[in-house]
Amino acid sequence: MEGLRTGRADMDGDGDITLDELYGYVYDRVVAEMPQQRPKRQDNVKGRTVIARNVN
């Protein structure tokens, strides 16, 4: 939620937060706080899925 609320999950700064960007943001945060954890995601998803607009 923090990445969406603050806009930090908008990794490329285009104003959209995509599923890939949100995953990358969450992955980095989880690994930084709990190095033994490695979040995974479905690899068979195609296309650009916008989750939210970056209001910041």
Side-chain angles (χ1 to χ4, degrees):
M1 294 305 299
E2 176 187 330
L4 295 173
R5 185 175 50 253
T6 63
R8 291 184 187 140
D10 182 12
M11 306 297 262
D12 62 8
D14 69 352
D16 293 330
I17 299 172
T18 65
L19 185 58
D20 289 336
E21 288 174 314
L22 184 57
Y23 171 77
Y25 177 83
V26 169
Y27 183 93
D28 291 346
R29 294 292 308 248
V30 168
V31 171
E33 291 187 29
M34 298 173 15
Q36 70 278 15
Q37 294 281 341
R38 291 292 187 264
K40 294 183 181 181
R41 64 176 217 158
Q42 282 296 117
D43 285 336
N44 63 351
V45 178
K46 304 288 183 201
R48 181 175 182 259
T49 304
V50 176
I51 301 296
R53 294 281 303 156
N54 181 357
V55 297
N56 295 310

